Amino acid sequence: MEFRDLRKQYKVLKDDINREIADVCNNATFIGGEPVKKLEQELADYVGVKHCISCANGTDALQLALMAWGIGAGDIVFVPDFTYFSSGEVVSAVGAVPIFVDIDPVTFNLDPEALRNAVECCREEPDYNGLKAKAVIAVDLFGLPADYDRIRPICEEYDLLLLEDGAQGFGGIVRQRDGTEKRACSFGDIGTTSFFPAKPLGCYGDGGAVFTDSDEWASLIRSYAVHGKGASKYDNIRIGMNSRLDTIQAAILSVKFEAFKRYELSDVNKVADYYTSNLQDTKLRLPVIPQGMFSSWAQYTVVIPEDVDRDDVITELKENGIPAMVYYQKPMHRQKAFAGTISAEADCPVAEDICRRCLSLPIDPYKTEKEIDEVKKVLFCLI
Ligand SMILES: *Cc1c(COP(=O)(O)O)cnc(C)c1O
């Protein structure tokens, strides 16, 4: 069994993908061009924001957002302690300081109360003198949108910009109080995603995108992504980077995005539901999707009971041909890259506990009930 079966997806979409790639080769426009423009428009429409700016990967997308906001030396950005390294890395990359915040034990997402405490703490702590709190990066971990209903008011109260890291969240939905639905990557002042192959919507290499309603930020991001261009890429008015989505990747995404909308997103939810209904009678803690929310299931992550050795579970699954992964082994504040800085001083007991006990099981839209039954059989013997 594959952890995420990209080969099976290719088999299904092969004719269309091959044709799209051949079109790009025949046109010999490999950077920019119509496929990129068209994809950006389709993604913006789907997410429900005015602008989509594609770029080279999800890490650059985050960094471009911080650059557009002018975040740098002397600034604090709050980041969940349980996420992929990029979410914190980009903060340091622009010269600012990430302060890691604990997570909710049920959703694994940023805990709004812990965020409020961290913000308050930074205002009082003499060590933080000279540093100014500027932004929050909320991550839609494993496909589930963060708790924006509670995070947004905190950002407003303390005058913080909100950046949604939707690298794993693309396709997620939150029903609003007025009954309408709002999609992932539209919850922040800026939202970002990644098209890394294993993400909910992936290409065949690296890719990413930035989403925003702001004309000003969109045009800054377009400039930063192409060497700080002014009127043209040979007129350089700020220091930027080289971060573009290849035309071939855009063409591949156009096919994958159709499949994503048409059936993949609903099918992966069926797979997740099947897991959840079949693993009820184990001692595993299963993922919970709060009322009114819809996940894009980048991962199906369970929590192993205290008295069970996670390594034994992984070994037993592996011996039965089932790959399982630990997302994530280490809370952010314990990563060596932050050692010796104030970022390493975070107190995040929930993130620590989840890192010790989490386990992600194989999931993708193409998994069959038979495959999930195999996983279930092994887990039932163990837990
Ligand atoms: C994958 C990921 C990123 C980075 O995306 P890349 O395209 O690999 O650069 C950022 N944040 C989170 C939460 C991710 O899972």
Side-chain angles (χ1 to χ4, degrees):
M1 190 184 305
E2 302 269 342
F3 187 70
R4 186 170 185 92
D5 203 339
L6 295 174
R7 266 183 286 227
K8 205 158 164 187
Q9 184 196 42
Y10 180 57
K11 262 187 205 153
V12 175
L13 304 175
K14 191 172 185 168
D15 291 346
D16 289 341
I17 288 178
N18 288 0
R19 189 198 57 237
E20 290 293 328
I21 293 173
D23 277 358
V24 174
C25 296
N26 283 321
N27 291 332
T29 300
F30 297 107
I31 299 290
E34 202 46 44
V36 176
K37 242 169 112 181
K38 187 161 159 272
L39 179 74
E40 287 181 341
Q41 189 58 55
E42 286 171 4
L43 290 169
D45 291 347
Y46 179 80
V47 166
V49 297
K50 197 166 169 195
H51 304 281
C52 166
I53 305 103
S54 61
C55 63
N57 56 68
T59 309
D60 282 3
L62 290 166
Q63 186 170 333
L64 285 163
L66 296 179
M67 288 167 86
W69 288 341
I71 287 178
D75 296 335
I76 285 174
V77 179
F78 299 94
V79 178
D81 199 35
F82 187 62
T83 177
Y84 183 61
F85 189 60
S86 294
S87 318
E89 180 183 31
V90 291
V91 177
S92 299
V94 299
V97 177
I99 295 293
F100 297 112
V101 178
D102 214 354
I103 54 159
D104 180 285
V106 174
T107 63
F108 310 129
N109 278 333
L110 187 64
D111 175 352
E113 271 320 299
L115 173 64
R116 180 183 291 281
N117 290 340
V119 177
E120 283 288 343
C121 197
C122 282
R123 285 151 59 101
E124 288 159 12
E125 189 70 46
D127 284 352
Y128 293 100
N129 268 355
L131 291 179
K132 192 171 177 340
K134 282 282 177 66
V136 174
I137 299 182
V139 180
D140 302 337
L141 203 72
F142 303 148
L144 180 69
D147 190 352
Y148 295 103
D149 282 349
R150 290 169 67 208
I151 293 170
R152 167 66 71 187
I154 295 172
C155 291
E156 280 165 10
E157 184 179 339
Y158 294 96
D159 200 17
L160 301 168
L161 289 158
L162 177 57
L163 175 52
E164 175 184 8
D165 179 352
Q168 302 181 17
F170 191 83
I173 295 172
V174 182
R175 199 175 323 116
Q176 305 295 292
R177 284 194 195 90
D178 64 7
T180 59
E181 289 182 338
K182 218 167 136 62
R183 283 198 191 270
C185 301
S186 75
F187 298 112
D189 298 304
I190 297 181
T192 64
T193 198
S194 162
F195 303 123
F196 183 80
K199 307 283 176 172
L201 177 62
C203 60
Y204 285 166
D206 279 310
V210 187
F211 298 89
T212 186
D213 279 323
S214 159
D215 297 340
E216 185 196 340
W217 293 334
S219 99
L220 275 172
I221 288 163
R222 285 212 185 273
S223 166
Y224 278 119
V226 185
H227 307 287
K229 71 174 174 164
S232 83
K233 73 185 250 200
Y234 304 105
D235 170 37
N236 309 94
I237 58 176
R238 49 181 72 88
I239 300 299
M241 51 210 270
N242 176 21
S243 187
R244 291 174 297 226
L245 181 72
D246 291 344
T247 316
I248 282 190
Q249 300 301 346
I252 292 163
L253 279 168
S254 70
V255 177
K256 293 234 225 168
F257 188 31
E258 280 311 307
F260 182 83
K261 288 187 283 190
R262 207 153 36 107
Y263 63 88
E264 284 187 350
L265 188 55
S266 65
D267 283 1
V268 80
N269 269 274
K270 284 180 204 147
V271 174
D273 287 347
Y274 192 77
Y275 260 129
T276 298
S277 53
N278 279 277
L279 295 176
Q280 286 301 335
D281 296 332
T282 62
K283 284 189 289 166
L284 292 169
R285 212 171 77 213
L286 305 178
V288 174
I289 305 303
Q291 185 79 34
M293 286 205 184
F294 182 81
S295 174
S296 58
W297 294 105
Q299 304 294 344
Y300 188 91
T301 302
V302 299
V303 181
I304 307 276
E306 301 269 11
D307 57 349
V308 175
D309 187 330
R310 180 170 62 186
D311 288 338
D312 291 347
V313 179
I314 294 171
T315 306
E316 191 64 26
L317 284 165
K318 198 169 169 194
E319 277 169 11
N320 286 276
I322 299 160
M325 307 288 280
V326 176
Y327 296 127
Y328 294 94
Q329 296 269 3
K330 242 189 226 186
M332 293 289 279
H333 77 277
R334 287 200 187 274
Q335 291 287 2
K336 194 173 169 191
F338 299 115
T341 72
I342 54 172
S343 306
E345 289 166 19
D347 178 27
C348 301
V350 179
E352 305 257 9
D353 178 52
I354 299 295
C355 283
R356 271 191 299 270
R357 300 198 285 135
C358 61
L359 186 67
S360 299
L361 303 175
I363 191 166
D364 63 61
Y366 299 87
K367 290 271 176 290
T368 61
E369 294 191 350
K370 194 167 149 271
E371 285 176 300
I372 309 306
D373 288 341
E374 284 173 41
V375 182
K376 168 188 166 183
K377 216 169 91 192
V378 178
L379 290 174
F380 259 80
C381 295
L382 288 169
I383 301 163

